[in-house]
mmCIF file of all heavy atoms in Angstrom:
data_model
loop_
_atom_site.group_PDB
_atom_site.id
_atom_site.type_symbol
_atom_site.label_atom_id
_atom_site.label_comp_id
_atom_site.label_asym_id
_atom_site.label_seq_id
_atom_site.Cartn_x
_atom_site.Cartn_y
_atom_site.Cartn_z
ATOM 1 N N VAL B 232 125.543 112.908 -36.087
ATOM 2 C CA VAL B 232 124.569 111.926 -35.623
ATOM 3 C C VAL B 232 124.575 111.854 -34.090
ATOM 4 O O VAL B 232 123.578 111.566 -33.454
ATOM 5 C CB VAL B 232 124.852 110.546 -36.258
ATOM 6 C CG1 VAL B 232 123.858 109.512 -35.776
ATOM 7 C CG2 VAL B 232 124.792 110.650 -37.770
ATOM 8 N N ARG B 233 125.737 112.100 -33.513
ATOM 9 C CA ARG B 233 125.913 112.198 -32.069
ATOM 10 C C ARG B 233 125.679 110.885 -31.337
ATOM 11 O O ARG B 233 125.560 110.833 -30.119
ATOM 12 C CB ARG B 233 125.051 113.314 -31.492
ATOM 13 C CG ARG B 233 125.478 114.657 -32.068
ATOM 14 C CD ARG B 233 124.688 115.815 -31.549
ATOM 15 N NE ARG B 233 124.701 115.875 -30.123
ATOM 16 C CZ ARG B 233 123.798 116.523 -29.402
ATOM 17 N NH1 ARG B 233 122.825 117.165 -29.997
ATOM 18 N NH2 ARG B 233 123.872 116.540 -28.104
ATOM 19 N N PHE B 234 125.550 109.837 -32.097
ATOM 20 C CA PHE B 234 125.467 108.503 -31.526
ATOM 21 C C PHE B 234 126.158 107.602 -32.529
ATOM 22 O O PHE B 234 125.853 107.663 -33.712
ATOM 23 C CB PHE B 234 124.017 108.072 -31.364
ATOM 24 C CG PHE B 234 123.890 106.609 -31.097
ATOM 25 C CD1 PHE B 234 124.020 106.132 -29.812
ATOM 26 C CD2 PHE B 234 123.704 105.709 -32.129
ATOM 27 C CE1 PHE B 234 123.956 104.774 -29.562
ATOM 28 C CE2 PHE B 234 123.634 104.355 -31.882
ATOM 29 C CZ PHE B 234 123.758 103.881 -30.592
ATOM 30 N N ILE B 235 127.101 106.809 -32.118
ATOM 31 C CA ILE B 235 127.736 105.933 -33.099
ATOM 32 C C ILE B 235 127.770 104.498 -32.613
ATOM 33 O O ILE B 235 127.934 104.233 -31.425
ATOM 34 C CB ILE B 235 129.181 106.383 -33.446
ATOM 35 C CG1 ILE B 235 129.944 106.744 -32.177
ATOM 36 C CG2 ILE B 235 129.169 107.533 -34.425
ATOM 37 C CD1 ILE B 235 131.378 107.144 -32.440
ATOM 38 N N GLY B 236 127.574 103.601 -33.541
ATOM 39 C CA GLY B 236 127.633 102.179 -33.236
ATOM 40 C C GLY B 236 128.635 101.526 -34.172
ATOM 41 O O GLY B 236 129.048 102.130 -35.156
ATOM 42 N N PRO B 237 129.029 100.296 -33.881
ATOM 43 C CA PRO B 237 130.084 99.653 -34.666
ATOM 44 C C PRO B 237 129.729 99.454 -36.139
ATOM 45 O O PRO B 237 130.613 99.291 -36.967
ATOM 46 C CB PRO B 237 130.276 98.307 -33.975
ATOM 47 C CG PRO B 237 129.129 98.141 -33.061
ATOM 48 C CD PRO B 237 128.576 99.476 -32.764
ATOM 49 N N GLU B 238 128.429 99.486 -36.467
ATOM 50 C CA GLU B 238 128.060 99.181 -37.856
ATOM 51 C C GLU B 238 128.656 100.166 -38.862
ATOM 52 O O GLU B 238 128.775 99.847 -40.037
ATOM 53 C CB GLU B 238 126.539 99.101 -38.012
ATOM 54 C CG GLU B 238 125.782 100.398 -37.825
ATOM 55 C CD GLU B 238 125.669 100.808 -36.362
ATOM 56 O OE1 GLU B 238 125.750 99.933 -35.489
ATOM 57 O OE2 GLU B 238 125.538 102.014 -36.104
ATOM 58 N N ILE B 239 129.072 101.356 -38.397
ATOM 59 C CA ILE B 239 129.672 102.268 -39.379
ATOM 60 C C ILE B 239 131.018 101.753 -39.874
ATOM 61 O O ILE B 239 131.536 102.235 -40.874
ATOM 62 C CB ILE B 239 129.852 103.707 -38.846
ATOM 63 C CG1 ILE B 239 130.609 103.702 -37.523
ATOM 64 C CG2 ILE B 239 128.544 104.427 -38.728
ATOM 65 C CD1 ILE B 239 130.994 105.097 -37.079
ATOM 66 N N ALA B 240 131.578 100.778 -39.185
ATOM 67 C CA ALA B 240 132.840 100.198 -39.674
ATOM 68 C C ALA B 240 132.590 99.008 -40.569
ATOM 69 O O ALA B 240 133.514 98.439 -41.119
ATOM 70 C CB ALA B 240 133.714 99.786 -38.494
ATOM 71 N N GLY B 241 131.323 98.643 -40.718
ATOM 72 C CA GLY B 241 130.998 97.384 -41.366
ATOM 73 C C GLY B 241 131.238 97.364 -42.865
ATOM 74 O O GLY B 241 131.477 98.387 -43.501
ATOM 75 N N THR B 242 131.165 96.153 -43.424
ATOM 76 C CA THR B 242 131.431 96.018 -44.853
ATOM 77 C C THR B 242 130.344 96.691 -45.690
ATOM 78 O O THR B 242 130.608 97.191 -46.768
ATOM 79 C CB THR B 242 131.515 94.531 -45.244
ATOM 80 O OG1 THR B 242 130.448 93.851 -44.617
ATOM 81 C CG2 THR B 242 132.810 93.923 -44.805
ATOM 82 N N THR B 243 129.128 96.697 -45.174
ATOM 83 C CA THR B 243 128.052 97.347 -45.922
ATOM 84 C C THR B 243 128.415 98.794 -46.206
ATOM 85 O O THR B 243 128.190 99.320 -47.290
ATOM 86 C CB THR B 243 126.754 97.345 -45.084
ATOM 87 O OG1 THR B 243 126.636 96.095 -44.454
ATOM 88 C CG2 THR B 243 125.570 97.622 -45.959
ATOM 89 N N MET B 244 128.981 99.422 -45.205
ATOM 90 C CA MET B 244 129.326 100.835 -45.323
ATOM 91 C C MET B 244 130.369 101.036 -46.419
ATOM 92 O O MET B 244 130.238 101.927 -47.255
ATOM 93 C CB MET B 244 129.894 101.289 -43.977
ATOM 94 C CG MET B 244 130.029 102.761 -43.836
ATOM 95 S SD MET B 244 128.418 103.463 -43.457
ATOM 96 C CE MET B 244 128.899 105.133 -43.113
ATOM 97 N N VAL B 245 131.387 100.201 -46.427
ATOM 98 C CA VAL B 245 132.453 100.430 -47.401
ATOM 99 C C VAL B 245 131.946 100.147 -48.812
ATOM 100 O O VAL B 245 132.287 100.849 -49.762
ATOM 101 C CB VAL B 245 133.714 99.613 -47.066
ATOM 102 C CG1 VAL B 245 133.562 98.154 -47.394
ATOM 103 C CG2 VAL B 245 134.903 100.155 -47.826
ATOM 104 N N PHE B 246 131.067 99.169 -48.923
ATOM 105 C CA PHE B 246 130.529 98.900 -50.254
ATOM 106 C C PHE B 246 129.586 100.007 -50.700
ATOM 107 O O PHE B 246 129.475 100.297 -51.885
ATOM 108 C CB PHE B 246 129.872 97.525 -50.301
ATOM 109 C CG PHE B 246 130.873 96.417 -50.344
ATOM 110 C CD1 PHE B 246 130.914 95.439 -49.380
ATOM 111 C CD2 PHE B 246 131.829 96.384 -51.357
ATOM 112 C CE1 PHE B 246 131.868 94.429 -49.411
ATOM 113 C CE2 PHE B 246 132.790 95.385 -51.407
ATOM 114 C CZ PHE B 246 132.807 94.407 -50.419
ATOM 115 N N THR B 247 128.924 100.598 -49.737
ATOM 116 C CA THR B 247 128.093 101.745 -50.088
ATOM 117 C C THR B 247 128.968 102.870 -50.644
ATOM 118 O O THR B 247 128.671 103.445 -51.693
ATOM 119 C CB THR B 247 127.349 102.241 -48.833
ATOM 120 O OG1 THR B 247 126.662 101.147 -48.260
ATOM 121 C CG2 THR B 247 126.380 103.339 -49.180
ATOM 122 N N PHE B 248 130.039 103.158 -49.949
ATOM 123 C CA PHE B 248 130.964 104.195 -50.449
ATOM 124 C C PHE B 248 131.416 103.864 -51.868
ATOM 125 O O PHE B 248 131.400 104.707 -52.758
ATOM 126 C CB PHE B 248 132.225 104.265 -49.570
ATOM 127 C CG PHE B 248 132.015 104.910 -48.228
ATOM 128 C CD1 PHE B 248 132.940 104.719 -47.199
ATOM 129 C CD2 PHE B 248 130.927 105.715 -47.977
ATOM 130 C CE1 PHE B 248 132.767 105.301 -45.959
ATOM 131 C CE2 PHE B 248 130.742 106.311 -46.740
ATOM 132 C CZ PHE B 248 131.662 106.094 -45.726
#
Side-chain angles (χ1 to χ4, degrees):
Chain B
V232 179
R233 297 180 55 201
F234 166 84
I235 45 178
E238 67 285 336
I239 53 171
T242 45
T243 319
M244 192 79 172
V245 75
F246 285 121
T247 307
F248 286 162

